[in-house]
Amino acid sequence: MIKNIAFVCYAVSNMPKARKFYEGVLGLKTNKEFDGSNNTHWVEYNIGTGTLALGCWSEWRPSPDGASAALEVDDFDKMVTDLKKKKVKFRIKPQQYPSCRMAIILDPDKNPICIHQKNKIFKGEENYDEGAGADDEHLVDSSNRFEGADLRA
């Protein structure tokens, strides 16, 4: 079940120029895991309970056609299993990171969609809102307010 949007990423052609805008003009602060120091092609900004990311690769160009969204799920393994059973094409196989697990699938038009599950965030991540911590009492309550509703088309 999809719970919320985990992050949105924009392709940029010049990371220093983009960071000058997002940090200098908009006042965003990078998070500790993806602050650009270890990977100059990827930067993340935590905003509320979500994240805005910037990616810079020659094969991924900025486009006025829209951003890429990551869909937060409550059971990553189950979602991956279900997608494989339905023969959905994976562009990027499931990955594990300190902050999350994710995979990229393709829709029928080959648009990439990220399936994502956040891990518990470690204490001291100052840019994470709502008291993120390593124990359950500091996790953000992301319960689904539409639980039980019939949302079929």
Side-chain angles (χ1 to χ4, degrees):
M1 183 169 97
I2 296 170
K3 299 188 311 184
N4 62 34
I5 294 178
F7 68 89
V8 173
C9 183
Y10 289 99
V12 298
S13 60
N14 181 313
M15 186 61 79
K17 183 178 177 181
R19 290 187 70 178
K20 185 175 180 181
F21 174 78
Y22 284 92
E23 295 168 33
V25 175
L26 298 180
L28 299 179
K29 295 185 184 334
T30 60
N31 70 24
K32 289 181 181 178
E33 184 178 358
F34 295 106
D35 63 1
S37 60
N38 292 323
N39 181 349
T40 59
H41 301 286
W42 188 267
V43 175
E44 290 186 359
Y45 306 96
N46 293 337
I47 302 170
T49 59
T51 299
L52 173 66
L54 304 177
C56 184
W57 289 277
S58 61
E59 58 276 347
W60 188 38
R61 295 181 187 93
S63 171
D65 295 333
S68 173
L71 305 178
E72 186 71 12
V73 299
D74 30 46
D75 188 335
F76 182 81
D77 293 323
K78 182 180 182 319
M79 178 65 82
V80 168
T81 298
D82 291 346
L83 292 168
K84 286 180 178 179
K85 284 180 183 174
K86 294 174 182 174
K87 308 240 187 270
V88 172
K89 183 172 175 136
F90 281 74
R91 182 172 181 184
I92 298 176
K93 65 182 180 177
Q95 306 284 311
Q96 175 74 46
Y97 298 98
S99 62
C100 66
R101 296 170 68 198
M102 61 185 278
I104 306 292
I105 60 171
L106 298 174
D107 76 3
D109 292 311
K110 298 185 180 169
N111 291 310
I113 300 168
C114 178
I115 303 303
H116 185 272
Q117 184 175 27
K118 291 182 182 179
N119 293 331
K120 293 181 182 181
I121 304 303
F122 300 102
K123 285 185 180 178
E125 183 63 59
E126 65 195 30
N127 291 329
Y128 245 89
D129 277 354
E130 302 195 33
D135 53 9
D136 288 340
E137 71 182 58
H138 292 98
L139 293 177
V140 176
D141 178 14
S142 58
S143 55
N144 185 350
R145 67 179 130 173
F146 299 110
E147 192 168 25
D150 185 358
L151 302 176
R152 292 177 285 182

